[in-house]
Amino acid sequence: MGINADFARRVAIDTRAMPWSPSPMPGVDRRMLDRIGEEKARATSIVRYAPNSSFPSHRHPGGEELFILEGVFEDEHGSYPAGTYVRNPPGTAHAPASTDGCVIFVKLWQFDPQDDVPVRIDTPEAPFTSAGAPHGSTQLLLHVGPQETVRLLRLPAETKITLSARDGLEILVLDGAVRIDGDGLTQQGWWRGREEKDVSVTSGDDDALIYAKSGHLAHVRFPDDVAV
């Protein structure tokens, strides 16, 4: 399966307009944003757990990155409310579930093999800073590695910032609305591109909060047995 598999091509999606597709487990549905492979895949998805739904325990040989968008996500290691950022390094395992239901943003098989540090950040309680952030915005660094930087960026209303997309840029709108060059996105809108020029991100009439990952498309990894 290939969905938005050309990483050199710009993609902008209103994810809330997408239909939900069933996963192998009842009560767990997903919106596939990019994917190469079948159930074992390099993938970016928005996943919805119905109340009292779950997946059996499984391992993530390529790592798993999560951001909880709505509700409370759970596994045997803890409970993670909306706004929690999670990194499960390659080789880790868990049994995900949700008692009351949740919606999460998930990235699979996108870790550096040497990235072995679990991360759990309650972003609503974490401090943002202007240090190192694009002018006019504040940021919360979530992860900095040799091949990627992940952060939340908070833009006041009607603020324009510039971000590099040279080695890949990915944005998920968490709150408010933004315009990324000519692409307008509202909450849970998703954008991905790899371009030589910088990209402008402009907030709308209200403050905006975005997840931004950069640098990750310069060295793309895939599961060993997935054809690309």
Side-chain angles (χ1 to χ4, degrees):
M1 178 186 299
I3 298 173
N4 293 321
D6 181 356
F7 299 116
R9 181 181 179 185
R10 176 187 288 207
V11 181
I13 299 175
D14 176 6
T15 69
R16 292 184 297 181
M18 296 176 66
W20 291 101
S21 300
S23 79
M25 297 304 297
V28 182
D29 300 314
R30 54 202 176 183
R31 290 167 168 160
M32 300 181 188
L33 307 183
D34 66 29
R35 194 175 190 92
I36 297 178
E38 299 302 323
E39 285 309 310
K40 183 178 183 179
R42 183 197 192 280
T44 302
S45 308
I46 291 179
V47 179
R48 180 181 64 183
Y49 283 73
N52 298 311
S53 61
S54 64
F55 253 88
S57 182
H58 58 275
R59 190 167 299 278
H60 289 290
E64 177 188 52
E65 180 183 5
L66 307 172
F67 194 92
I68 316 308
L69 300 173
E70 302 173 17
V72 179
F73 176 79
E74 302 157 356
D75 62 18
E76 64 269 40
H77 307 298
S79 296
Y80 311 107
T84 306
Y85 178 72
V86 177
R87 292 180 72 88
N88 294 319
T92 55
H94 67 158
S98 183
T99 302
D100 296 323
C102 67
V103 177
I104 63 177
F105 177 65
V106 185
K107 297 182 71 66
L108 300 173
W109 268 101
Q110 297 179 46
F111 274 55
D112 184 294
Q114 305 306 313
D115 186 352
D116 60 358
V117 179
V119 175
R120 309 284 188 271
I121 301 174
D122 182 4
T123 69
E125 298 299 323
F128 282 64
T129 178
S130 59
H135 180 70
S137 68
T138 56
Q139 70 175 4
L140 171 60
L141 285 175
L142 302 177
H143 176 74
V144 179
Q147 296 179 0
E148 68 175 14
T149 297
V150 186
R151 55 185 171 170
L152 300 188
L153 291 169
R154 184 174 286 152
L155 285 67
E158 299 180 348
T159 296
K160 179 180 179 179
I161 63 173
T162 301
L163 299 174
S164 172
R166 181 175 299 275
D167 292 323
L169 176 65
E170 183 173 344
I171 291 173
L172 180 70
V173 181
L174 302 176
D175 196 17
V178 300
R179 181 164 293 278
I180 306 171
D181 285 351
D183 300 315
L185 295 174
T186 57
Q187 193 170 22
Q188 295 187 23
W190 181 75
W191 188 98
R192 189 202 69 202
R194 185 180 181 190
E195 304 176 7
E196 291 300 317
K197 68 180 184 66
D198 291 344
V199 172
S200 66
V201 181
T202 307
S203 55
D205 295 336
D206 299 309
D207 295 355
L209 179 66
I210 63 173
Y211 159 102
K213 179 193 282 282
S214 57
H216 60 306
L217 298 183
H219 305 279
V220 177
R221 297 184 64 235
F222 301 95
D224 294 338
D225 56 354
V226 171
V228 298

